[in-house]
Amino acid sequence: MLKYFSIVQALSRSALAMPNEAVTHQIRRLKESLEKDGFTKEAKSLEALLTASESSLEMSPSKIQRSFVVLKGEEITPKTSIPVDKETSTPLAEIFFPDDLPEKAPMFDGNIQLAIHSIVNEWSKFDQLLEINATPASSCLIYGAPGTGKTHLAKWIAKQIGLPVVLARLEGLMSSYLGTTSRNIGNLFTFANRYKCILLLDEFDAIAKLRNDPQEVGEVKRVVNTLLQSLDSRHEKGFTIGVTNHESLLDPAIWRRFDIQVEIPKPSPEVMIQLLKNFITPLEFNESEIKFLAWCLDGSSGADAEMLSKWLKRAFVLERESNIVEVMKQFAVLNSGRVDTKKRNVMVHSDEDFINMLLNDKVYSFKQKDLASLFGMTPSTLSKQLSKFKDSEKI
């Protein structure tokens, strides 16, 4: 059964999206059986799904909305005036109301999902925490490689909490006029502190650079200090989320201003397989083909998976008889930054080396019969080719 655990895991995740007592009971039974038989990793994976599901049930919109009655601040409406850069009249932010935010949760491994649900769960129990003189975390920094779904995640968290998002891309706050950048930051935070909202600071590293960088003097130091003071002013007035692709550029003092720091990794093989299944709809591929696509994108981002899916849709519309291996060879050549260099070189130069690399992969565990189908051969033909290849290596 463990051979197909990724399918079991996906089925469990889907079932727990709208769980009932029977579903939860059976998945818990499966988890306990796996645990008993020594499959600890698989059992923990199901436990994470169960825990995340239980957290979701506790986070009904009505409970979260009631919690925010205790927050001070005005309601943002479509008629609310957004602050602008006084030099250029450019808006400093965009407003996204809950109905504009993504319904679907981004797909991550179990531990990340569990951590994310715990953030939202704190806000669902806002009033209960106040009763014991505590408050939820008021800020969260989400960081990781580009294309891993960080901004989507931030918006989804806001959707669960049920508040509008004030989205500011920090690059857009910067100005060549002396003092204007600091003024823009101050005006943005004054606006966010006035209303019940989530402040989402995207491209966060645009300003928050290391203050001891010899290239950065004067104005940038003042800007960073303004940002630090503004983050302090927002404490307990609302939830602030920072998003960055370059966490190494952040000043240590900036890091300390965030109660929670979540690193979003590139998709694991299991998550990549699920992302591809979602993105390629309505195209249909069998499990071996999906696994092959995931292998080709191993180490890439979720955005890369979406790009590949669009590529496949175009390829299979234009050439309905396309072979998936040939399509991926073209993809590797024309999207060199999305495919590992070593894999790409083997893919485009030698089918024998390509097949051997797939067979020797310990993560995806391809079988000869699966590869024969992918490469358009019979299993016996593939076996003969591999034998000839091994014989030539001995000479």
Side-chain angles (χ1 to χ4, degrees), residues 40-270:
T40 308
K41 179 181 176 183
E42 289 78 6
K44 285 183 177 179
S45 175
L46 292 183
E47 178 63 32
L49 291 177
L50 287 163
T51 305
S53 175
E54 290 167 2
S55 297
S56 295
L57 288 175
E58 295 175 358
M59 292 184 287
S60 66
S62 60
K63 288 184 179 180
I64 294 176
Q65 293 295 346
R66 283 201 302 273
S67 293
F68 281 109
V69 173
V70 298
L71 280 183
K72 296 178 181 178
E74 301 173 31
E75 301 287 343
I76 295 181
T77 72
K79 295 183 178 180
T80 300
S81 297
I82 301 170
V84 299
D85 183 306
K86 290 186 178 179
E87 308 293 345
T88 64
S89 298
T90 303
L92 299 181
E94 297 177 78
I95 307 297
F96 292 87
F97 294 94
D99 288 345
D100 304 322
L101 300 172
E103 293 277 357
K104 197 168 185 180
M107 194 172 293
F108 302 117
D109 286 315
N111 289 336
I112 299 292
Q113 288 187 4
L114 190 59
I116 292 163
H117 280 289
S118 72
I119 295 170
V120 181
N121 197 28
E122 284 189 21
W123 281 90
S124 74
K125 294 182 171 62
F126 190 100
D127 45 358
Q128 296 174 36
L129 290 172
L130 282 183
E131 289 174 3
I132 59 170
N133 198 30
T135 55
S138 63
S139 56
C140 174
L141 180 67
I142 302 174
Y143 65 97
T148 49
K150 298 182 297 298
T151 302
H152 178 89
L153 169 60
K155 289 182 176 180
W156 181 82
I157 290 173
K159 176 77 171 183
Q160 302 313 298
I161 293 176
L163 286 179
V165 169
V166 175
L167 170 61
R169 293 178 175 84
L170 284 236
E171 185 72 37
L173 301 183
M174 299 183 76
S175 171
S176 58
Y177 294 96
L178 187 66
T180 299
T181 301
S182 293
R183 184 172 65 225
N184 285 344
I185 293 172
N187 289 342
L188 172 69
F189 275 83
T190 298
F191 175 82
N193 291 347
R194 176 180 173 181
Y195 294 97
K196 293 181 181 180
C197 67
I198 288 179
L199 177 59
L200 173 52
L201 304 171
D202 209 350
E203 302 172 358
F204 196 71
D205 49 275
I207 293 176
K209 295 182 178 180
L210 292 171
R211 283 185 294 185
N212 60 1
D213 187 335
Q215 301 292 326
E216 306 294 347
V217 293
E219 175 69 359
V220 171
K221 288 187 178 181
R222 285 191 289 274
V223 166
V224 172
N225 285 331
T226 299
L227 183 55
L228 290 171
Q229 292 166 9
S230 297
L231 287 168
D232 289 340
S233 76
R234 181 127 176 93
H235 187 63
E236 296 186 1
K237 291 186 178 178
F239 193 35
T240 305
I241 303 177
V243 175
T244 178
N245 297 333
H246 305 288
E247 69 279 3
S248 61
L249 296 178
L250 297 186
D251 188 304
I254 295 286
W255 275 89
R256 290 195 295 272
R257 275 4 187 239
F258 286 95
D259 300 331
I260 299 170
Q261 299 145 8
V262 182
E263 180 178 14
I264 303 301
K266 290 185 176 180
S268 66
E270 294 79 14

Side-chain angles (χ1 to χ4, degrees), residues 340-394:
D340 175 77
T341 303
K342 183 179 178 181
K343 287 184 177 180
R344 184 178 70 249
N345 290 338
V346 171
M347 288 169 70
V348 299
H349 289 116
S350 167
D351 276 359
E352 289 84 0
D353 289 343
F354 192 0
I355 292 169
N356 269 288
M357 179 180 274
L358 289 165
L359 281 174
N360 291 325
D361 190 275
K362 303 299 183 185
V363 175
Y364 290 88
S365 304
F366 292 99
K367 305 298 182 186
Q368 283 195 26
K369 65 177 182 178
D370 298 331
L371 298 183
S373 176
L374 287 172
F375 283 81
M377 306 178 188
T378 64
S380 59
T381 301
L382 178 63
S383 183
K384 288 176 184 177
Q385 283 204 10
L386 291 173
S387 296
K388 288 180 182 178
F389 181 69
K390 288 177 182 177
D391 290 340
S392 65
E393 284 186 322
K394 294 177 183 177

Side-chain angles (χ1 to χ4, degrees), residues 326-345:
E326 294 305 316
V327 170
M328 286 310 299
K329 287 180 181 179
Q330 294 176 34
F331 181 83
V333 171
L334 296 174
N335 294 268
S336 56
R338 294 185 170 92
V339 180
D340 175 77
T341 303
K342 183 179 178 181
K343 287 184 177 180
R344 184 178 70 249
N345 290 338

